[in-house]
Amino acid sequence: MAKKSHGPNKHGHDHGNDDGHDHAHDPLEEGAALRVRALEEIVVAKGLVDPDALDAIVEYYERETGPRNGAQVIARAWTDPDFKDWLLKDGTAAINSLGFSGYQGEHIRVIENTDTVHNVVVCTLCSCYPWPVLGLAPAWYKSPAYRSRVVREPRVVLQEFGLNLASSVKVRVWDSTAEVRYLVLPRRPPGSEGMDAPELANIITRNGMIGTASV
Amino acid sequence: MNGIHDMGGMHGFGKVQVDDDTVFGADWQRRAFALVETLAWAVPYSTDQHRYAIECLEPVNYLKHDYFENWIEATETLLIEAGLVDRSELEAGVKRFDINCENHAPVGPQTLVAATRAGAEMIFPADTSTAAFHVGQRVRVLNTHRQGHTRVPGYVRGKCGLIIRNGGIFQFADSLAAGNGPDPQHCYTVEFTSTTLWGDDGSQGDTICLDLWEPYLEAI
């Protein structure tokens, strides 16, 4: 629907599109779609791009990356103390050992939520995000509202996500400004003691690993 | 550069649309993403050069246009700068001149996916340079306002924080974006208190951590 079709930089602008029209009727989007098609035709005609590579890279990201990868990492850490130690010490190596690696995940640091510290990740300057373990970033993560506010008023932003933190819990915001990408290790929820790693992986969410949800 | 992209701390963008977890809302966004990734090989350009090209977009367009359209417009800029397309072609949507692809070879699907899966090392051996700062040291972020690409957000410039980690020696984004090679530098995680950054509008006890390269910092 209209809201879903809006790109991340358009939030806060009401285009009055909630009348059932799909994105193709948004002149801004129509222009963007034409622009991309024109560029693709030109660069393919010039021999700069192999069309098969375009399909292959999208397929790679859609099939092989995504928050299910990260959830496996977290579930393993919750069930294997040695792995957890390794993950916190050398996140990249521990994550690579589970078969997850690659562009925008060359250097991953895992930060642990505790009884006293809650971590939340942002990239205020662009949209840096650990692609191999979380996939490509969701629209809200890339939005001006999130990027501008979470460093200044993290508790208010977290409340908008439905996460109310006690004042005794310190918030640590991680702004991804250089080459390290951050993954939050949420606290294992009470009542999950009897669950095995695959069951735990099912309750871990993308937002939990960014820090905008508790799990 | 002091651009519209440097959003940390700004007001006016409203509430976060927390339910909008769209990655690609339309197929043209998929194509745009794929074009940016593949053209990086042929042109070629680095991630930092592409980021800088995004930062140089018209500020009004940066806000008004879709995220992936900004990616595409930045790539158009880099293609034009490399002499591989011109404005009239982009406007007409047709090729008007041929190019010699000898130095601009297209990447094939297997090579692209294998390289993406492997990633690129951005770190350098620990013994290649001596660190100027140490963990536990308080530092100040230099108050600089250069035109080029930098990864120091405006909201920490001139502010004091505590080094909590030396992450190692990394390629330096400012140098790569300027086309001057990796110029490896130590990169530290610096923790700032919320009240240092936002005064009375900050929150007691909360902190903000950033990874900052050594040339951004001075001892205090």
Side-chain angles (χ1 to χ4, degrees):
Chain A
M1 291 303 293
K3 187 182 153 210
K4 283 270 178 192
S5 73
H6 278 196
N9 283 342
K10 292 194 202 166
H11 298 312
H13 299 257
D14 182 4
H15 296 281
N17 259 15
D18 292 328
D19 54 2
H21 286 204
D22 72 12
H23 60 268
H25 297 270
D26 178 336
L28 272 175
E29 275 223 33
E30 226 163 61
L34 288 173
R35 178 178 209 159
V36 171
R37 197 182 312 151
L39 182 65
E40 181 174 340
E41 280 171 17
I42 293 166
V43 293
V44 169
K46 291 193 181 223
L48 288 166
V49 162
D50 174 346
D52 289 344
L54 296 175
D55 296 329
I57 195 65
V58 168
E59 189 179 297
Y60 163 76
Y61 277 107
E62 294 198 322
R63 281 205 192 160
E64 291 190 36
T65 70
R68 292 304 97 210
N69 294 356
Q72 282 185 50
V73 174
I74 302 304
R76 176 79 182 271
W78 281 350
T79 52
D80 179 345
D82 290 339
F83 181 81
K84 180 181 159 184
D85 288 347
W86 187 22
L87 186 67
L88 293 174
K89 233 174 265 160
D90 186 349
T92 312
I95 287 168
N96 287 352
S97 79
L98 298 184
F100 310 126
S101 64
Y103 183 60
Q104 291 299 314
E106 292 95 339
H107 305 282
I108 299 183
R109 188 167 169 210
V110 179
I111 41 183
E112 185 184 16
N113 287 346
T114 67
D115 296 348
T116 52
V117 179
H118 180 87
N119 297 285
V120 59
V121 180
V122 64
C123 173
T124 60
L125 295 172
C126 52
S127 53
C128 295
Y129 193 70
W131 290 359
V133 281
L134 294 185
L136 301 178
W140 65 258
Y141 182 86
K142 302 182 288 189
S143 69
Y146 183 73
R147 288 164 51 194
S148 63
R149 292 177 52 216
V150 78
V151 286
R152 181 169 48 77
E153 48 179 8
R155 288 171 189 272
V156 182
V157 171
L158 293 177
Q159 272 169 13
E160 288 169 19
F161 281 91
L163 184 57
N164 292 294
L165 296 172
S167 56
S168 57
V169 176
K170 165 185 164 165
V171 179
R172 240 181 178 181
V173 184
W174 299 81
D175 190 355
S176 317
T177 45
E179 308 302 357
V180 173
R181 300 291 169 265
Y182 288 92
L183 184 74
V184 174
L185 171 57
R187 292 163 67 201
R188 183 169 173 168
S192 67
E193 293 78 6
M195 296 172 126
D196 63 12
E199 288 170 323
L200 289 167
N202 280 333
I203 62 168
I204 295 158
T205 69
R206 163 164 53 194
N207 288 12
M209 294 179 279
I210 301 172
T212 54
S214 60
V215 180
Chain B
M1 63 180 280
N2 296 341
I4 189 63
H5 69 285
D6 186 2
M7 295 188 152
M10 287 175 78
H11 289 85
F13 291 113
K15 286 194 166 188
V16 180
Q17 303 295 310
V18 299
D19 294 324
D20 189 358
D21 57 5
T22 311
V23 174
F24 296 121
D27 198 51
W28 69 264
Q29 295 172 326
R30 269 186 200 88
R31 305 305 286 175
F33 172 78
L35 281 167
V36 171
E37 297 300 305
T38 51
L39 283 165
W41 291 68
V43 175
Y45 49 80
S46 68
T47 305
D48 290 300
Q49 286 171 311
H50 188 250
R51 286 192 187 116
Y52 184 49
I54 292 172
E55 291 162 13
C56 292
L57 299 178
E58 285 284 330
V60 170
N61 288 344
Y62 180 95
L63 291 176
K64 194 166 68 178
H65 288 174
D66 181 83
Y67 176 85
F68 289 107
E69 185 173 4
N70 287 345
W71 274 38
I72 280 297
E73 190 176 346
T75 291
E76 289 173 358
T77 308
L78 294 164
L79 281 160
I80 291 168
E81 283 174 3
L84 299 173
V85 301
D86 70 20
R87 190 63 70 192
S88 76
E89 290 180 310
L90 295 173
E91 280 165 9
V94 289
K95 183 185 82 164
R96 293 216 161 125
F97 64 94
D98 288 318
I99 51 164
N100 179 354
C101 279
E102 199 176 320
N103 296 319
H104 305 284
V107 65
Q110 287 87 6
T111 305
L112 178 60
V113 170
T116 304
R117 217 178 253 138
E121 277 288 300
M122 293 179 284
I123 201 162
F124 290 77
D127 59 359
T128 50
S129 126
T130 309
F133 308 117
H134 58 265
V135 172
Q137 185 174 358
R138 283 182 60 75
V139 290
R140 182 185 292 114
V141 183
L142 292 169
N143 183 21
T144 52
H145 299 270
R146 292 193 199 96
Q147 163 67 56
H149 178 69
T150 188
R151 297 293 296 180
V152 193
Y155 73 91
V156 295
R157 292 192 204 147
K159 307 288 187 182
C160 296
L162 183 72
I163 293 184
I164 60 169
R165 186 166 186 262
N166 180 350
I169 301 163
F170 284 85
Q171 60 181 35
F172 186 31
D174 301 39
S175 175
L176 279 168
N180 296 331
D183 187 22
Q185 302 286 342
H186 282 269
C187 191
Y188 307 88
T189 307
V190 184
E191 185 170 29
F192 301 86
T193 68
S194 172
T195 48
T196 296
L197 301 181
W198 316 113
D200 290 344
D201 295 307
S203 44
Q204 279 302 335
D206 295 342
T207 61
I208 297 92
C209 300
L210 289 82
D211 288 324
L212 299 170
W213 275 279
E214 197 166 278
Y216 300 159
L217 305 171
E218 63 179 345
I220 48 175

